[in-house]
């Protein structure tokens, strides 16, 4: 048994920022991650991080844009705090050593982003996530923090009404360990691999969200799934919104700038939900290219700008789609990109379980509400990662000692051992593929109730079949067959919550578009969905949206 | 855009080994029908899905940004997600996949990266602020585009270790930090916010910098065009400019440069003294005498070449041109 004051699960930006804050408060902090920290999916974020630090910009405009972008489902008190922290957060990261792009005057360069009233997205070419991940990782090395890299979370142990620690295993040796801790911070990122067409990494399987859900944490607003408008055709690799921020334009097969129909004022830089719906509508109306896609044109920006500010996506387009953005349009179509929902927390990162905290994409504060603005997710990881670290540090100072008994370890890892012992059954990859096909087809951008019910039946069938999931590989070292099996269980649990929430929410708001309820319904639905785990499936309840200054109005871009 | 391509047969021979379960490393043969532009990673994942779930590799983002899936593809260090199958099959007839070099195999294509990270950590890879020049309170540091340009392509590094795998100096000498670690060090040395660049250069000059063989295999292997060998060259130049020759490696470079400036050609005798000092000359005396017997003209030193005036003009021009970026 291992002992630490605080265990952070997940080593992306949110996890590392939380660990830094907790360690600075003088606690013994450990980070557990199934990947090396520098391989975290935070590093794949491209376009930038929002902060209203320009003289002509204002924090209030950032707040308003975020509230409007959320389709009035974001908690306004949290959004106010969030936007106020933006400037100090970016400056802190700059002082930690992050290498941002600069303007000619030496100040931080800024670009336009979707749904923003001002160009306030600070960036590092089109690899801002990587730049921040390097910055925080380098800075973290100045603190004494134990990093268990390539360890896989099995469970969060809650007894006597509070967190006692976690169970996990070392992927390199297969060895199971209990890690005793007074507080656990979940920062394991999203579960984008619920979908087949996703920009997310293969590792984005919602392990921490699923473990927290099983441990009694409420999940919030899970039905709100963001589809990024411009993913590369076929591979669904992300093409940053920054490409449109730099002046890129989308066209349909008729050569029309179709966004004039959907967002006459800001065109290609409307909110992501708006742009994704527009693309799907164009293709469904027969104005897409054969095979079903539209194009993103950068050619007019010129070779130099494309190759300097959009260097990575230039490479991606060439390598993964056989297209040179300097001379040709890029074929794009929306793909799953972000989960607005997650483990429900308050502004301090606290969940409903004492000692359990969450931050980053795994969490839902909520600042993104029904639709996240580009450039707000990197900011969220850092602002609320720090909040969670500070709050967990304060909690453990007054909390009683945690304890993990051998019986805890037995109980918590029973599922794992049964899985290892099974000699026949279903392939986890078959289950995963069937889940992904179902979600792609039936729980996408436009949601039809018949499709949603069909998806729910399928997910439940897969959950049933997953009881018999079989690991063929007997090895103890780096057993991917085993992690596939554990991950598919997580994906299935979370997919069920998404579908149940989507069926219940009979309105259209942000990224959740019901074909049978096309309008936003503030009277009945300006509220957060809360899902609690029960053996019979998620039990839903609702919580009010925190409201300060901004009355809901119709969203026009 | 990739046209609707005809599928081709792709023969894979993949290295398989699990040291914890004994046995010998072997190659396992798989065949898939794939479009030529399919990344090798997609092929390997299809093998896992359809043929053999025990095939073990690291992978995550599949878009060349997480650095997980570096491996040897037909003997070259490559990111599997960033290397299409078609050209490999066209050139080699098959795709032989091996784990990266210079790192012990944990299982199949998964290697133990501890040595790689340890060498990285030895570079003190974090900003060390200058106590005399604190960061500006409440605002970002000002940095001109020219200062940003000095980082060159180092911010693109994804720590995939392709360079480390390709490096013969890493293989030969445990003292050599490896291309990635040195490129990372370079990134801090040229950072105007860092207050320790002198100390960093001092330390590296006597601890491995000059062990680079200048073979450029790291630059060839780097999927993000960081060009580690050029960053190592930059570090050498910065080190010499900052503190002159402090050990044989830099003294050799300086001696070389001075020789050419003086005579337009090398004076081997002088170079030995310049590199290793008098004691070095004594140590190399036996070898020197043997050489001098065969080529007595060595003792006289070289004749100054005819175009020496032109050479000196070049030196002067270079001296004027080159700003010391610190």
């Amino acid at each position: 048994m291992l002992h630490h004051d605080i265990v952070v699960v997940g080593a992306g930006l949110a996890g590392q920022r939380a660990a830094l804050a907790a360690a600075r408060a003088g606690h013994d902090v450990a980070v557990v991650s199934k990947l090396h920290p520098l391989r975290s999916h935070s590093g794949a974020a491209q376009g930038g991080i929002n902060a209203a630090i320009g003289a002509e910009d204002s924090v209030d405009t950032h707040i308003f844009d975020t509230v409007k972008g959320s389709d009035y489902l974001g908690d306004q008190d949290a959004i106010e705090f969030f936007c106020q922290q933006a400037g100090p957060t970016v400056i802190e990261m700059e002082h930690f050593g992050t290498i941002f792009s600069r303007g000619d005057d030496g100040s931080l360069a800024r670009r336009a982003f979707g749904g923003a009233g001002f160009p306030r997205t600070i960036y590092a070419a089109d690899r801002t996530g990587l730049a921040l991940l390097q910055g925080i990782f380098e800075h973290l090395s100045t603190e004494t923090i134990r990093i268990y890299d390539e360890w896989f979370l099995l469970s969060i142990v809650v007894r006597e009404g509070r967190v006692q620690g976690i169970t996990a295993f070392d992927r390199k040796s297969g060895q199971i360990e209990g890690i005793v801790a007074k507080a656990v911070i979940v920062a394991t990122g999203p579960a984008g691999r619920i979908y087949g067409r996703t920009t997310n990494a293969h590792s984005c399987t919602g392990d921490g969200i699923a473990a927290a859900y099983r441990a009694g944490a409420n999940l919030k607003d899970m039905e709100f799934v963001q589809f990024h408008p411009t993913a590369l055709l076929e591979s669904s690799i992300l093409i940053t919104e920054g490409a449109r921020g730099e002046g890129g334009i989308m066209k349909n097969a008729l050569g029309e700038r179709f966004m004039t129909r959907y967002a006459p004022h800001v065109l290609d830089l409307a909110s992501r939900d708006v742009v994704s719906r527009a693309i799907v509508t164009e293709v469904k109306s027969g104005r897409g290219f054969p095979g079903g896609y539209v194009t993103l044109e950068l050619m007019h920006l010129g070779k130099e700008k494309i190759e300097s500010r959009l260097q990575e996506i230039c490479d991606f387009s060439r390598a993964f789609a056989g297209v040179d953005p300097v001379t040709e349009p890029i074929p794009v179509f929306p793909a799953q990109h972000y989960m607005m929902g997650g483990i429900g927390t308050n502004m301090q990162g606290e969940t409903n379980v004492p000692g359990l905290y969450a931050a980053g994409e795994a969490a839902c504060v909520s600042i993104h509400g029904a639709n996240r603005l580009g450039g707000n997710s990197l900011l969220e990881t850092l602002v609320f990662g720090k909040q969670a670290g500070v709050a967990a540090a304060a909690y453990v100072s007054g909390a009683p000692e945690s304890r993990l008994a051998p019986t805890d370890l037995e109980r918590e890892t029973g599922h794992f051992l049964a899985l290892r012992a099974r000699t026949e059954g279903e392939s986890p990859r078959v289950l995963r593929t069937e889940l992904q096909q179902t979600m792609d087809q039936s729980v996408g951008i436009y949601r039809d109730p018949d499709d949603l019910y069909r998806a729910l039946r399928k997910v439940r069938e897969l959950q049933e079949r997953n009881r018999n999931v079989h690991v063929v590989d007997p090895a103890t070292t780096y057993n991917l067959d085993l992690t596939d099996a554990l991950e598919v269980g997580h994906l299935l649990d979370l997919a069920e919550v998404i579908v149940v929430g989507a069926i219940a929410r009979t309105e259209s708001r942000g990224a959740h578009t019901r074909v049978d309820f096309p309008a936003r319904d503030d009277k009945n639905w300006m509220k957060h969905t809360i899902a609690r785990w029960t053996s019979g499936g998620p039990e839903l309840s609702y919580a009010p949206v925190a409201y300060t200054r901004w009355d809901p109005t119709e969203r026009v871009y | 855009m990739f046209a609707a391509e005809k599928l081709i047969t792709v023969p894979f021979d993949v290295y398989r080994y699990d040291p914890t379960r004994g046995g010998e490393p072997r190659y396992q043969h798989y065949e898939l029908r794939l479009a030529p532009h399919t990344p090798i990673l997609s092929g390997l994942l299809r093998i896992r899905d359809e043929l053999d779930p025990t095939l073990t590799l690291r992978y995550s983002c599949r878009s060349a940004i997480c650095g997980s899936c570096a491996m040897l593809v037909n003997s070259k260090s490559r990111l599997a997600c960033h290397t299409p199958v078609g050209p490999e099959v066209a050139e080699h007839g098959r795709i032989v996949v091996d784990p990266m070099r210079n790192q012990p195999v944990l299982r199949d294509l998964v290697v133990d990266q501890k040595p790689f990270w340890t060498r990285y950590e030895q570079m003190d890879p974090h900003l060390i602020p200058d106590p005399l020049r604190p960061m500006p309170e409440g605002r970002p540091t000002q940095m001109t585009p020219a200062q940003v340009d000095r980082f060159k392509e180092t911010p693109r590094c994804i720590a995939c270790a392709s360079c480390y795998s390709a490096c013969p100096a890493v293989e030969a000498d445990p003292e050599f930090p490896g291309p990635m670690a040195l490129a990372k060090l370079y990134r801090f040395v040229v950072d105007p916010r860092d207050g320790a660049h002198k100390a960093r250069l001092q330390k590296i000059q006597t601890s491995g910098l000059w062990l680079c063989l200048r073979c450029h295999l790291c630059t060839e292997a780097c999927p993000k065009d960081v060009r580690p060998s050029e960053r190592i060259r930059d570090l050498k130049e910065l080190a010499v400019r900052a503190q002159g020759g402090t050990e044989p490696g830099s003294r050799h470079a300086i001696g070389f440069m001075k020789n050419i400036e003086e005579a337009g050609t090398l004076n081997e005798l002088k170079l030995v003294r310049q590199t290793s000092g008098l004691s070095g000359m004594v140590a190399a005396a036996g070898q020197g005498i043997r050489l001098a017997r065969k080529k007595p003209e060595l003792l006289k030193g070289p004749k100054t070449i005819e175009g020496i005036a032109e050479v000196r003009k070049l030196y002067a021009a270079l001296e004027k041109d080159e700003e010391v970026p610190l």
Side-chain angles (χ1 to χ4, degrees):
Chain A
M1 214 78 82
L2 303 161
H3 293 78
H4 296 281
D5 293 337
I6 297 171
V7 171
V8 181
V9 190
L13 282 173
Q16 290 193 48
R17 189 63 190 83
L20 180 64
R24 285 239 173 111
H27 295 289
D28 168 13
V29 179
V31 176
V32 172
S33 170
K34 69 177 176 178
L35 306 173
H36 183 278
L38 280 177
R39 317 234 179 271
S40 303
H41 190 54
S42 299
Q46 297 174 358
I49 177 165
N50 293 336
I53 56 173
E56 321 81 344
D57 200 2
S58 78
V59 172
D60 259 11
T61 327
H62 186 192
I63 298 170
F64 171 72
D65 289 340
T66 304
V67 169
K68 178 182 171 186
S70 82
D71 217 350
Y72 299 91
L73 191 69
D75 288 330
Q76 295 183 7
D77 54 352
I79 293 172
E80 291 199 31
F81 171 77
F82 169 69
C83 296
Q84 283 153 6
Q85 293 303 308
T89 300
V90 168
I91 290 164
E92 180 180 68
M93 288 306 295
E94 199 277 328
H95 289 179
F96 284 174
T98 305
I99 301 168
F100 288 109
S101 295
R102 304 274 169 163
D104 291 337
D105 64 349
S107 64
L108 300 182
R110 285 167 285 146
R111 61 166 51 123
F113 243 54
F118 197 83
R120 70 168 70 90
T121 305
I122 290 150
Y123 60 93
D126 55 347
R127 48 175 172 273
T128 315
L130 183 66
L132 291 167
L133 192 63
Q134 290 172 347
I136 194 88
F137 184 68
E138 289 158 8
H139 193 76
L140 201 66
S141 71
T142 63
E143 297 286 340
T144 309
I145 290 170
R146 176 69 200 266
I147 294 178
Y148 297 92
D149 68 312
E150 301 197 322
W151 280 53
F152 194 99
L153 173 70
L154 283 174
S155 72
I156 298 164
V157 185
V158 177
R159 203 174 4 88
E160 295 157 24
R162 61 191 168 84
V163 162
Q164 306 287 342
I166 65 167
T167 62
F169 69 97
D170 182 350
R171 297 180 75 178
K172 296 183 279 291
S173 67
Q175 181 70 36
I176 298 178
E177 279 285 1
I179 307 182
V180 182
K182 292 182 189 173
V184 170
I185 303 172
V186 176
T188 50
R193 286 279 157 177
I194 287 174
Y195 289 82
R197 284 197 295 272
T198 176
T199 64
N200 282 192
H202 288 282
S203 53
C204 296
T205 51
D207 308 327
I209 310 176
Y213 177 51
R214 285 284 177 142
N218 291 334
L219 302 190
K220 194 196 287 178
D221 293 338
M222 289 290 285
E223 64 269 32
F224 294 99
V225 177
Q226 179 165 79
F227 289 78
H228 196 289
T230 59
L232 269 186
L233 198 66
E234 192 183 2
S235 63
S236 292
I237 286 170
L238 174 65
I239 300 294
T240 175
E241 192 164 283
R244 281 170 285 138
E246 295 290 348
I249 53 172
M250 292 183 300
K251 287 185 181 167
N252 63 20
L254 307 176
E256 296 171 322
R257 281 194 74 175
F258 57 87
M259 282 311 295
T260 50
R261 277 194 277 281
Y262 307 91
H265 305 291
V266 298
L267 303 170
D268 300 85
L269 285 176
S271 235
R272 288 178 179 170
D273 55 336
V274 176
V275 182
S276 286
R277 276 193 296 270
I279 295 172
V280 171
T281 305
E282 287 298 301
V283 170
K284 277 192 175 160
S285 314
R287 295 190 290 272
F289 288 84
Y293 63 93
V294 299
T295 57
L296 173 64
E297 292 189 2
L298 306 179
M299 297 93 80
H300 57 285
L301 303 179
K303 188 176 159 76
E304 200 204 313
K305 194 170 183 183
I306 297 173
E307 288 184 347
S308 59
R309 293 200 201 166
L310 301 167
Q311 189 175 26
E312 304 299 332
I313 65 138
C314 209
D315 174 37
F316 295 165
S317 304
R318 288 169 183 161
F320 301 116
V323 163
D324 185 352
V326 175
T327 56
E328 300 162 274
I330 308 170
V332 292
F333 194 74
Q336 192 283 342
H337 180 60
Y338 188 85
M339 292 171 48
M340 271 69 74
I343 303 165
T345 72
N346 60 14
M347 285 198 285
Q348 281 69 47
E350 293 170 338
T351 70
N352 59 309
V353 177
L356 183 61
Y357 299 77
E361 195 171 341
C364 178
V365 178
S366 145
I367 47 163
H368 308 307
N371 172 68
R372 175 176 71 80
L373 292 189
N376 271 355
S377 63
L378 286 177
L379 182 59
E380 179 191 19
T381 62
L382 296 166
V383 169
F384 291 104
K386 181 179 175 184
Q387 287 287 98
V390 168
Y395 168 83
V396 299
S397 300
E401 286 303 318
S402 285
R403 199 173 56 83
L404 281 184
T407 48
D408 288 319
L409 218 55
E410 268 168 43
R411 189 185 61 241
E412 298 288 331
T413 57
H415 164 72
F416 178 79
L417 298 174
L419 180 63
R420 294 308 311 262
R422 204 168 294 142
T423 53
E424 58 179 3
E426 294 244 23
S427 152
R429 287 159 301 279
V430 168
L431 298 176
R432 187 178 63 204
T433 305
E434 288 187 31
L435 170 69
Q436 290 174 340
Q437 284 167 351
T438 301
M439 296 299 283
D440 283 347
Q441 282 163 14
S442 306
V443 198
I445 292 172
Y446 284 103
R447 295 171 171 181
D448 174 285
D450 293 341
D451 286 344
L452 291 176
Y453 279 108
R454 197 175 307 120
L456 184 58
R457 282 194 298 276
K458 183 68 187 182
V459 169
R460 290 196 164 144
E461 173 211 310
L462 292 170
Q463 281 176 319
E464 203 48 47
R465 286 164 58 191
N466 184 48
R467 290 172 193 276
N468 196 31
V469 69
H470 177 221
V471 175
V472 174
D473 188 348
T476 50
T477 307
Y478 226 93
N479 189 328
L480 295 181
D481 196 19
L482 174 64
T483 43
D484 280 348
L486 295 166
E487 287 169 349
V488 79
H490 302 158
L491 294 174
L492 286 166
D493 279 359
L494 301 179
E496 186 189 21
V497 182
I498 291 173
V499 181
V500 168
I503 288 172
R505 188 173 282 272
T506 49
E507 66 155 353
S508 290
R509 183 186 297 271
H512 172 68
T513 309
R514 282 282 294 258
V515 294
D516 49 342
F517 294 94
R520 194 175 78 198
D521 177 359
D522 289 333
K523 188 161 161 279
N524 295 304
W525 285 105
M526 213 172 101
K527 57 189 182 187
H528 297 296
T529 306
I530 305 292
R532 195 176 69 86
W533 186 88
T534 77
S535 56
E539 185 184 274
L540 298 189
S541 60
Y542 292 89
V545 173
Y547 175 88
T548 57
R549 291 189 272 166
W550 286 273
D551 290 326
T553 55
E554 198 195 344
R555 246 165 111 232
V556 180
Y557 284 102
Chain B
M1 197 162 108
F2 295 121
E5 292 172 316
K6 269 209 192 114
L7 301 187
I8 56 168
T9 299
V10 182
F12 285 93
D13 287 308
V14 185
Y15 178 95
R16 305 296 311 271
Y17 182 44
D18 183 348
T20 62
R21 304 177 72 209
E24 290 295 312
R26 65 195 162 88
Y27 287 95
Q28 192 155 351
H29 186 79
Y30 306 98
E31 272 186 22
L32 294 173
R33 298 279 296 165
L34 297 169
H37 74 266
T38 310
I40 286 169
L41 177 64
S42 305
L44 295 174
L45 295 184
R46 255 190 63 189
I47 293 172
R48 292 201 65 245
D49 279 359
E50 295 169 16
L51 303 172
D52 185 354
T54 68
L55 176 61
T56 305
L57 65 154
R58 278 198 185 94
Y59 64 98
S60 180
C61 77
R62 59 74 168 89
S63 58
I65 205 75
C66 77
S68 299
C69 67
M71 51 189 74
L72 298 187
V73 174
N74 289 324
S75 303
K76 299 224 161 135
S77 295
R78 293 284 179 263
L79 287 183
C81 73
H82 200 250
T83 310
V85 294
E88 294 295 326
V89 174
E91 192 182 338
H92 303 276
R94 59 188 184 143
I95 297 177
V96 182
V97 187
D98 283 282
M100 280 194 283
R101 293 193 192 96
N102 296 335
Q103 297 154 91
V105 172
L106 285 174
R107 184 181 174 192
D108 296 352
L109 304 172
V110 176
V111 294
D112 181 0
Q113 300 207 282
K114 214 172 184 136
F116 168 73
W117 291 119
T118 303
R119 292 182 190 203
Y120 158 82
E121 282 156 16
Q122 283 164 355
M123 298 297 108
D124 301 317
H126 56 89
L127 210 61
I128 302 173
D130 186 342
L132 301 175
R133 280 187 303 129
M135 299 282 184
E137 187 83 20
R139 59 190 166 81
T141 329
Q142 287 292 108
M143 213 187 281
T144 63
Q147 285 176 316
V148 174
D149 282 348
R150 278 182 203 146
F151 293 114
K152 304 252 167 60
E153 299 293 345
T154 54
R156 290 190 76 194
C157 176
I158 55 173
C160 65
S162 292
C163 58
Y164 186 89
S165 162
C167 178
V170 164
E171 192 180 353
D173 200 330
E175 284 281 296
F176 185 58
M180 180 272 190
L182 287 172
K184 187 57 82 174
L185 178 69
Y186 169 84
R187 166 253 173 280
F188 287 104
V189 166
V190 298
D191 194 321
R193 297 166 294 188
D194 194 78
H197 43 254
K198 288 229 171 74
R200 290 179 191 277
L201 286 171
Q202 234 158 25
K203 182 176 160 199
I204 198 61
Q205 198 168 358
T206 52
S207 61
L209 178 61
W210 297 88
L211 295 171
C212 166
L213 302 170
R214 286 177 288 171
C215 67
H216 299 285
L217 286 173
C218 53
T219 291
E220 194 273 337
C222 176
K224 306 304 277 189
D225 208 27
V226 171
R227 301 179 167 267
S229 56
E230 294 178 16
R231 303 295 80 81
I232 295 169
R233 180 206 61 201
D234 295 341
L235 272 178
K236 286 177 178 171
E237 190 184 333
L238 290 170
V240 167
R241 279 175 187 268
Q243 55 217 18
T246 55
E247 42 36 78
S250 52
R251 284 201 298 263
H252 184 76
I254 295 167
F256 209 96
M257 194 177 75
K258 284 191 175 155
N259 271 221
I260 305 288
E261 190 177 12
E262 275 169 32
T265 183
L266 285 185
N267 183 334
E268 313 269 357
L269 204 59
K270 228 180 190 174
L271 194 57
V272 177
R273 196 187 68 225
Q274 284 161 328
T275 304
S276 314
L278 275 178
S279 62
M281 283 191 89
V282 172
Q287 205 185 356
I289 291 165
R290 277 196 302 279
L291 249 165
R293 279 198 189 129
K294 279 188 189 160
K295 293 175 86 180
E297 66 273 21
L298 274 180
L299 290 175
K300 278 188 277 175
K303 258 197 236 142
T304 301
I305 63 162
E306 269 179 34
I308 188 66
E310 288 302 308
V311 171
R312 288 182 189 153
K313 261 191 224 163
L314 278 173
Y315 268 68
L318 282 170
E319 203 57 46
K320 210 162 48 181
D321 254 21
E322 267 179 41
E323 158 213 24
V324 184
L326 279 178

